[in-house]
Amino acid sequence: MKTLGVVLALCGLCACGDDGGGNTADRLGVGAECTKDDDCMQSRIDGGLSETCLTQFKGGYCGIEDCAANDECPTGSACVIHEDGHNYCFRLCTDKPECNLNRSPDVESNCSSKIEYTDGTKDILGKACVPPSSGI
């Protein structure tokens, strides 16, 4: 019984933000709703950047701000040039439900093709989960 408890605890740790895809963005909860940095998995990513709660978006958005290239983002996310003039690592998607596994209905992200990647790989990468603006 003790072994089962350990296995269940480990499964619970891995499930945060995981839609079964198992990529780094899923494991780190990229795109998850948040109110503070502690709500996000703050593991340092391959380039030294660390995921934070991007509170400039409605409902917050666990991600990375000021990336310069896709290789600075967790696997399963990419560096997007946002309309606010900043770059963010946003989760990649094929449809809207992928974007909202860890978000409330009133702050859903859109799986948008109306984005621009910093390295021009839109034709290869496709869509990204774009959170709603905070209106500030």
Side-chain angles (χ1 to χ4, degrees), residues 73-97:
C73 299
T75 303
S77 65
C79 191
V80 173
I81 301 169
H82 193 266
E83 61 189 27
D84 69 4
H86 292 273
N87 297 344
Y88 302 99
C89 291
F90 283 163
R91 188 189 190 290
L92 297 173
C93 58
T94 55
D95 55 32
K96 189 172 179 172

Side-chain angles (χ1 to χ4, degrees), residues 112-125:
S112 178
S113 61
K114 296 179 181 178
I115 43 98
E116 182 180 347
Y117 294 107
T118 56
D119 63 0
T121 55
K122 183 175 179 180
D123 293 337
I124 298 168
L125 296 176

